[in-house]
Amino acid sequence: LKSRLSFKIFQHICDSQDYDSLVAALQNLYVKKRNIFAARNKLVSCKQMSGENVRAYLLRLNNLAKLCQFSRPENIEANREEWISQVFISGLVSRDMCAKILEKELLVAEDVYQMAEVIERSHKETIQFENIRLQKPGMGEIQTESKVSARRY
């Protein structure tokens, strides 16, 4: 293998005596190291996108958290859940949803996510109900969702 490499690469691996040390030298040379501070910053600054449901937002947060090397190895999953829950709540588009979740002082991450889904589903069902209720008799016209939403907020 060493005879097939360029001189520039050979300089990095010339001291390798066995396969494992050779692989380690090549990994140090070619594998990009992850910047955990950048990964954590990306996680903490993540916000729910307009129109994104809470389940998709949570999935996106979980994917970002995979890149964060959390401390406390003895309790790494709990640490990860704490980070995701905090970012999840602070990044919600709906300030009303955020306030309702914070009022409950939920300690279990799954409870936070379930409550967010319940609030989201309730909001959608309320809008649908209002659309049906606001149908004007005799005219057959239903107010659009945007009119209902604008009226409520």
Side-chain angles (χ1 to χ4, degrees), residues 81-116:
E81 288 296 320
E82 288 173 17
W83 275 70
I84 293 173
S85 292
Q86 187 61 47
V87 173
F88 179 82
I89 293 168
S90 66
L92 289 168
V93 170
S94 170
R95 294 291 99 201
D96 183 49
M97 183 185 296
C98 180
K100 286 178 182 177
I101 291 171
L102 290 174
E103 284 174 8
K104 294 289 183 186
E105 296 182 21
L106 300 172
L107 300 176
V108 179
E110 191 57 36
D111 294 344
V112 171
Y113 312 142
Q114 287 177 358
M115 184 171 181

Side-chain angles (χ1 to χ4, degrees), residues 8-25:
K8 184 178 179 181
I9 303 301
F10 181 76
Q11 288 177 321
H12 292 281
I13 64 166
C14 64
D15 295 333
S16 302
Q17 297 300 319
D18 60 5
Y19 179 77
D20 291 334
S21 63
L22 179 64
V23 169

Side-chain angles (χ1 to χ4, degrees), residues 33-131:
K33 291 184 172 99
R34 290 195 177 135
N35 183 336
I36 62 167
F37 298 108
R40 289 178 182 177
N41 182 58
K42 196 169 186 177
L43 174 66
V44 170
S45 62
C46 183
K47 304 288 183 206
Q48 183 183 20
M49 294 185 286
S50 180
E52 181 179 36
N53 67 39
V54 293
R55 182 57 61 182
Y57 175 50
L58 176 61
L59 179 64
R60 203 160 45 93
L61 288 175
N62 275 301
N63 287 332
L64 288 172
K66 289 176 185 175
L67 303 175
C68 302
Q69 296 172 349
F70 293 109
S71 57
R72 293 190 292 171
E74 70 282 354
N75 203 5
I76 200 163
E77 188 60 31
N79 192 7
R80 185 177 158 278
E81 288 296 320
E82 288 173 17
W83 275 70
I84 293 173
S85 292
Q86 187 61 47
V87 173
F88 179 82
I89 293 168
S90 66
L92 289 168
V93 170
S94 170
R95 294 291 99 201
D96 183 49
M97 183 185 296
C98 180
K100 286 178 182 177
I101 291 171
L102 290 174
E103 284 174 8
K104 294 289 183 186
E105 296 182 21
L106 300 172
L107 300 176
V108 179
E110 191 57 36
D111 294 344
V112 171
Y113 312 142
Q114 287 177 358
M115 184 171 181
E117 285 185 318
V118 167
I119 294 168
E120 182 179 63
R121 194 170 37 253
S122 172
H123 177 71
K124 287 179 182 177
E125 289 171 359
T126 300
I127 289 173
Q128 289 173 345
F129 177 75
E130 287 183 1
N131 282 339

